[in-house]
Amino acid sequence: MPAVHTGQVVVEELPRNDSAHFIRFLARLERCVLADLTIHLVLDNGSSHTSEATRAWLKRHPRIVAHYTPKHASWLNQVEIYFSLLARAVLRHGDFASRTDLLDKVTDFAIVHNETACPFRWNYDGRPRQTEDDDAVAAKEPCHAR
């Protein structure tokens, strides 16, 4: 889970993606972060994040504030950006001798990432991205053709 303010990542193996394991992770996160800080989580709408058990736990721990991304807006979620980096660097062409080997390589990647981590910066202005060629072609087209 990336920290928005630092860009660093906390890695923990969760045997299952359910609310019980997610709540255990949240409890660990709460213990690891200085008590005088508020923890803001940016979460997708996965079932482990939105379950009644998770919402009840979050209600009992008010210093942890959940912010849910809109549906179909994974590009807003820094975890998705980090997973993309992880997939390209480790997973896509990886060769893993065992589950433990996979977990070790994922953890090693996170450790190296954290040495130079910085927050991700978005610069989307609402317009589709264009290449220089697209701009040149568009400038030559008559206005009614756009």
Side-chain angles (χ1 to χ4, degrees), residues 16-92:
R16 296 188 60 195
N17 184 19
D18 60 18
S19 57
H21 288 93
F22 182 62
I23 289 168
R24 274 188 237 138
F25 174 75
L26 293 177
R28 176 176 175 245
L29 187 63
E30 186 176 39
R31 287 190 308 273
C32 293
V33 174
L34 296 174
D36 61 331
L37 296 176
T38 301
I39 301 168
H40 291 271
L41 298 175
V42 179
L43 303 168
D44 63 17
N45 290 283
S47 60
S48 63
H49 302 159
T50 59
S51 72
E52 286 184 34
T54 299
R55 289 185 186 267
W57 189 92
L58 288 168
K59 192 171 185 176
R60 292 189 310 273
H61 297 85
R63 86 175 185 115
I64 298 181
V65 180
H67 305 276
Y68 294 92
T69 58
K71 287 181 177 20
H72 309 296
S74 63
W75 60 273
L76 286 172
N77 190 337
Q78 290 192 13
V79 172
E80 298 291 340
I81 296 169
Y82 176 78
F83 282 156
S84 175
L85 296 172
L86 174 67
R88 285 181 274 150
V90 177
L91 303 177
R92 184 169 294 147

